[in-house]
Amino acid sequence: MWPATAAARGLRGILGTQHGLIQAPMAGAGGVALAVAVCEAGGLGSLPCAMLDPPTADAQMREMRALTARPFNVNFFCHTAPDTRAAASAEQQQAWRHVLQPIYQREGVAVPPLTGAPGAGSRTPFDDDMCRVVERHRPAVVSFHFGLPDSALFERVKATGACVMSSATTVAEAVWLAQRGCDVVIAQGVEAGGHRGMFLSSDITTQVGTMALVPQVVDAVDVPVIAAGGIGDARGVAAAFALGASAVQLGTAYLHVAEATITSPHKQALKAATADSTALTNLFSGRPARGVVNRLMREVGPMNTDAPPFPTAGTALVPLKAAGEARGVGDYTSLWAGQGVGLRLPWQHDTAAALTSALVGDVMKTMYM
Amino acid sequence: MWPATAAARGLRGILGTQHGLIQAPMAGAGGVALAVAVCEAGGLGSLPCAMLDPPTADAQMREMRALTARPFNVNFFCHTAPDTRAAASAEQQQAWRHVLQPIYQREGVAVPPLTGAPGAGSRTPFDDDMCRVVERHRPAVVSFHFGLPDSALFERVKATGACVMSSATTVAEAVWLAQRGCDVVIAQGVEAGGHRGMFLSSDITTQVGTMALVPQVVDAVDVPVIAAGGIGDARGVAAAFALGASAVQLGTAYLHVAEATITSPHKQALKAATADSTALTNLFSGRPARGVVNRLMREVGPMNTDAPPFPTAGTALVPLKAAGEARGVGDYTSLWAGQGVGLRLPWQHDTAAALTSALVGDVMKTMYM
């Protein structure tokens, strides 16, 4: 059980886990099987609900309860959904399709219609319906990305007794979360894969690396801090604890195990990637997220100002993604990964249970022997 | 004396220092006094020579020898200088002045002439003349930024018996340096202040955070690795050692001490800065470097494709910098700082000796008590 500091013991008491290890929720890349395996191995498994409708989230939480008696985390996005029926929205979608026009042509696919709906891979913000699901299942931990839901929803979640966590990418965001009653802050360094949790700023040029972010967040807030970003083996875990974190959150490390539900091009890209293979990109959803650089990111730039607002940018990519994946390539697929992707440990274990056990064992050896 | 691993002991043997602590060379921000103070306090002081001509470098190395019997590091840039007399260069300078035109107008300063010379604040690459200075003084450690000099110069430096170090910002750069005979690799995470040492790529979107970079570099090369970027107190030092580093390099932490030679607006900017106050910018020299975001960076963007190649971009800013500083503001001044700038420890000590001693003491307490 690690780390052995009072703050970390306190956090494990709150989370109810054996170890200060959280499997990052990764919408689309992992579900019940991954979360259960991590819970059973002594970490905190996370069920990503950002891309689920309430009935599906309800079914998956019921499944979690049936498969593990351990506490688990459920994760939601809490962005403000754009009005996709507005004229401005149609203009943005047209401009975006214009940028992609030469690629549609090259791939021989039809330009996807402007449906007014957010489209495939869409994410819905946490709302009353979803809050009822949480109230029904009362998971031990509820985490949010992109800030917190409005105070009425937030208070309802707190009233279930859940430990509430959210991601901060700056000191200011950490302070904002702690002041609003967030129980735990996840300091998400710029190395992290997938969507940046940023919500007070949209400027990626000032996003902060884990090494600098964690101690400055620890100094700024009174709640326990979880370190995320670039951690993939016992060295990173020990480093995060040295920086003052009370627990660590790992995502990319769990992407290649059997329980992960990623595409085959995504798996191949992860296997070939090194620390500098990834970049922040807004092409796939409209918000900055870190993934392996692919053809689309090279062709239109990883950050393109014409990409429509989150979560609507991906609709225009649907036929391109399908065309690429049909021939086995991830040229137009989001290949989420953090900068720890080249670390070897995760590749030596095929299941989430084996990886978690190996990591836990290595940390014990590193820190206490 | 730390860290206590065999690799780190080995590196201290090579460097000849008591502790695995290197004061980063910061051209323009520190000189003999800063380096001597760090050497005397048991770290490795670094004399930045990138902005010195050979006679001045010669005089400063002589001064170092007179003031300390301890080993020290001398640092050089080894970029390829652009041909400033070429027509293309004049065009670039014109385009850059065009971008700055509204700012010249607002500040009421004359557009600086196209002199064909690299201008104020210019950096000269390591060459035969400078190599003679190194051969004369035989410093214990010689470090390079932007790769390594050509093999003839490199071999001459090696022949002096110096330990040769250089910065890597990716795993590929670390491997490249080690393969060419570099004795020590400095893994420079994206958090680091000042110029990125990048030399195999100029793409800042794939630059790697310290947490992810250090262990992947350690795994890829057989030489000792120094961690740099985002480290400002004992927590960062301990974290770097947990990641596998054999020593740490700190720059920003030494910027505010009495021996630092930075402008008053720079000092004020550092004092007000938090972890997310900095960005990478090519405006001041032509190469990406991290500094506190100021008015110029906001107005023309921190990375501007019209900025001429390193080291010539700064010439056009000379009158703006002077105008700003004359009224006490750093609107057009490079305010180099890393993302660890908000850490408190460095601000509690006024001299390099006091800061170094405090840091050494804290590390001992953190790691061995």
Side-chain angles (χ1 to χ4, degrees), chain B residues 286-353:
Chain B
R287 266 191 192 254
R290 185 174 293 282
V292 177
V293 177
N294 62 3
R295 187 171 183 180
L296 181 68
M297 289 163 72
R298 274 188 295 268
E299 287 185 339
V300 305
M303 294 293 297
N304 191 301
T305 50
D306 281 317
F310 184 85
T312 67
T315 319
L317 299 177
V318 170
L320 293 175
K321 183 173 182 292
E325 290 177 10
R327 56 171 201 271
V329 298
D331 287 355
Y332 313 108
T333 302
S334 59
L335 307 171
W336 300 150
Q339 292 183 328
V341 64
L343 293 166
R344 291 176 207 151
L345 173 76
W347 299 96
Q348 294 159 358
H349 304 279
D350 293 334
T351 66

Side-chain angles (χ1 to χ4, degrees), chain A residues 265-325:
Chain A
H266 194 166
K267 272 192 193 175
Q268 289 162 30
L270 294 175
K271 215 157 193 169
T274 59
D276 62 330
S277 298
T278 73
L280 295 181
T281 176
N282 67 342
L283 306 182
F284 299 101
S285 70
R287 264 191 194 254
R290 184 174 293 283
V292 177
V293 176
N294 63 3
R295 187 171 182 179
L296 181 68
M297 289 162 72
R298 275 189 294 267
E299 288 184 340
V300 305
M303 294 293 297
N304 191 301
T305 49
D306 281 316
F310 184 86
T312 67
T315 320
L317 299 177
V318 171
L320 294 174
K321 183 174 182 292
E325 289 177 9

Side-chain angles (χ1 to χ4, degrees), chain A:
Chain A
M1 281 178 277
W2 41 257
T5 62
R9 265 198 300 270
L11 176 60
R12 287 200 302 279
I14 298 169
L15 301 178
T17 59
Q18 261 182 294
H19 306 294
L21 168 67
I22 292 124
Q23 161 249 326
M26 299 178 286
V32 172
L34 179 58
V36 167
V38 174
C39 289
E40 290 294 306
L44 182 70
S46 299
L47 184 69
C49 299
M51 287 165 71
L52 308 180
D53 56 21
T56 311
D58 183 81
Q60 292 197 358
M61 287 186 216
R62 188 172 308 119
E63 217 182 323
M64 288 287 305
R65 281 266 189 260
L67 293 170
T68 182
R70 304 271 176 98
F72 58 86
N73 172 34
V74 297
N75 175 261
F76 304 96
F77 286 178
C78 50
H79 56 287
T80 305
D83 181 0
T84 52
R85 292 154 309 177
S89 175
E91 273 166 42
Q92 284 167 330
Q93 291 290 344
Q94 285 290 19
W96 186 218
R97 280 158 177 74
H98 184 73
V99 170
L100 300 170
Q101 183 56 47
I103 307 177
Y104 292 137
Q105 211 150 19
R106 182 180 66 213
E107 293 292 335
V109 300
V111 180
L114 301 181
T115 60
S122 167
R123 291 87 170 172
T124 318
F126 186 74
D127 59 8
D128 172 64
D129 282 350
M130 201 57 107
C131 196
R132 285 167 199 266
V133 177
V134 169
E135 287 166 332
R136 191 170 313 134
H137 292 280
R138 307 174 82 89
V141 185
V142 175
S143 69
F144 293 102
H145 215 46
F146 311 133
L148 291 172
D150 69 47
S151 60
L153 287 170
F154 179 73
E155 289 309 325
R156 283 169 60 189
V157 174
K158 292 277 280 190
T160 68
C163 165
V164 178
M165 319 198 292
S166 185
S167 300
T169 67
T170 61
V171 172
E173 287 177 350
V175 169
W176 190 98
L177 291 172
Q179 280 175 345
R180 271 153 192 82
C182 203
D183 298 303
V184 178
V185 167
I186 303 160
Q188 189 194 29
V190 76
E191 295 92 331
H195 282 91
R196 308 286 313 140
M198 56 202 301
F199 59 95
L200 292 184
S201 161
S202 59
D203 180 3
I204 64 161
T205 71
T206 53
Q207 288 282 280
V208 186
T210 303
M211 183 68 101
L213 183 64
V214 171
Q216 292 179 81
V217 166
V218 166
D219 288 344
V221 299
D222 285 329
V223 301
V225 175
I226 295 170
I231 305 170
D233 61 23
R235 293 173 293 184
V237 175
F241 293 153
L243 293 172
S246 295
V248 293
Q249 179 169 291
L250 277 70
T252 307
Y254 284 102
L255 277 180
H256 75 284
V257 298
E259 293 89 344
T261 54
I262 60 175
T263 62
S264 152
H266 194 166
K267 272 192 193 175
Q268 289 162 30
L270 294 175
K271 215 157 193 169
T274 59
D276 62 330
S277 298
T278 73
L280 295 181
T281 176
N282 67 342
L283 306 182
F284 299 101
S285 70
R287 264 191 194 254
R290 184 174 293 283
V292 177
V293 176
N294 63 3
R295 187 171 182 179
L296 181 68
M297 289 162 72
R298 275 189 294 267
E299 288 184 340
V300 305
M303 294 293 297
N304 191 301
T305 49
D306 281 316
F310 184 86
T312 67
T315 320
L317 299 177
V318 171
L320 294 174
K321 183 174 182 292
E325 289 177 9
R327 56 171 202 270
V329 299
D331 287 355
Y332 313 108
T333 302
S334 59
L335 308 170
W336 300 150
Q339 292 183 328
V341 65
L343 293 166
R344 292 175 205 151
L345 173 78
W347 299 96
Q348 294 158 357
H349 303 280
D350 294 334
T351 65
L355 172 57
T356 307
S357 299
L359 185 60
V360 165
D362 281 358
V363 173
M364 294 299 290
K365 268 186 278 181
T366 303
M367 298 186 67
Y368 304 107
M369 283 171 75

Side-chain angles (χ1 to χ4, degrees), chain B:
Chain B
M1 282 179 277
W2 40 259
T5 62
R9 266 197 300 268
L11 176 60
R12 286 199 304 277
I14 298 169
L15 301 179
T17 59
Q18 260 183 294
H19 306 293
L21 168 68
I22 293 124
Q23 162 248 327
M26 299 178 287
V32 172
L34 179 58
V36 167
V38 174
C39 289
E40 289 294 305
L44 183 70
S46 299
L47 184 69
C49 299
M51 288 164 71
L52 307 181
D53 56 21
T56 311
D58 183 81
Q60 293 197 357
M61 287 186 215
R62 187 172 309 119
E63 217 182 323
M64 288 287 305
R65 280 264 190 262
L67 293 170
T68 181
R70 304 271 176 97
F72 58 84
N73 171 35
V74 296
N75 175 261
F76 304 97
F77 286 177
C78 50
H79 57 287
T80 305
D83 181 359
T84 52
R85 293 153 310 176
S89 176
E91 274 167 40
Q92 285 168 329
Q93 292 290 346
Q94 284 290 17
W96 185 218
R97 280 157 177 74
H98 184 73
V99 169
L100 300 171
Q101 182 57 46
I103 307 177
Y104 292 136
Q105 212 151 17
R106 182 180 66 213
E107 294 292 336
V109 300
V111 180
L114 301 181
T115 60
S122 167
R123 291 86 170 173
T124 319
F126 186 72
D127 59 8
D128 171 64
D129 281 351
M130 202 57 109
C131 196
R132 286 168 199 267
V133 178
V134 168
E135 287 166 331
R136 191 170 315 132
H137 292 281
R138 307 174 83 86
V141 185
V142 175
S143 69
F144 293 102
H145 216 46
F146 312 134
L148 291 172
D150 68 48
S151 59
L153 286 171
F154 179 73
E155 290 309 326
R156 284 169 59 188
V157 174
K158 292 277 280 190
T160 67
C163 166
V164 178
M165 320 198 292
S166 185
S167 300
T169 67
T170 62
V171 172
E173 288 177 348
V175 169
W176 189 98
L177 291 172
Q179 281 176 346
R180 271 154 191 82
C182 202
D183 298 303
V184 178
V185 167
I186 303 159
Q188 190 195 27
V190 75
E191 295 93 332
H195 282 93
R196 307 287 313 140
M198 56 201 304
F199 59 95
L200 293 183
S201 162
S202 60
D203 180 3
I204 64 161
T205 70
T206 54
Q207 288 282 280
V208 186
T210 304
M211 182 68 99
L213 183 64
V214 171
Q216 292 179 80
V217 167
V218 166
D219 288 345
V221 298
D222 285 329
V223 300
V225 174
I226 295 169
I231 305 170
D233 61 24
R235 293 173 294 183
V237 175
F241 293 153
L243 294 172
S246 295
V248 293
Q249 179 169 291
L250 279 70
T252 308
Y254 283 103
L255 277 180
H256 74 285
V257 298
E259 294 90 344
T261 54
I262 60 176
T263 61
S264 152
H266 194 166
K267 271 192 193 173
Q268 289 162 28
L270 294 175
K271 214 157 193 169
T274 60
D276 63 329
S277 298
T278 73
L280 295 181
T281 177
N282 68 343
L283 305 183
F284 300 100
S285 70
R287 266 191 192 254
R290 185 174 293 282
V292 177
V293 177
N294 62 3
R295 187 171 183 180
L296 181 68
M297 289 163 72
R298 274 188 295 268
E299 287 185 339
V300 305
M303 294 293 297
N304 191 301
T305 50
D306 281 317
F310 184 85
T312 67
T315 319
L317 299 177
V318 170
L320 293 175
K321 183 173 182 292
E325 290 177 10
R327 56 171 201 271
V329 298
D331 287 355
Y332 313 108
T333 302
S334 59
L335 307 171
W336 300 150
Q339 292 183 328
V341 64
L343 293 166
R344 291 176 207 151
L345 173 76
W347 299 96
Q348 294 159 358
H349 304 279
D350 293 334
T351 66
L355 172 57
T356 307
S357 300
L359 185 61
V360 165
D362 281 358
V363 173
M364 294 299 290
K365 268 186 279 182
T366 304
M367 297 186 69
Y368 305 106
M369 282 173 75

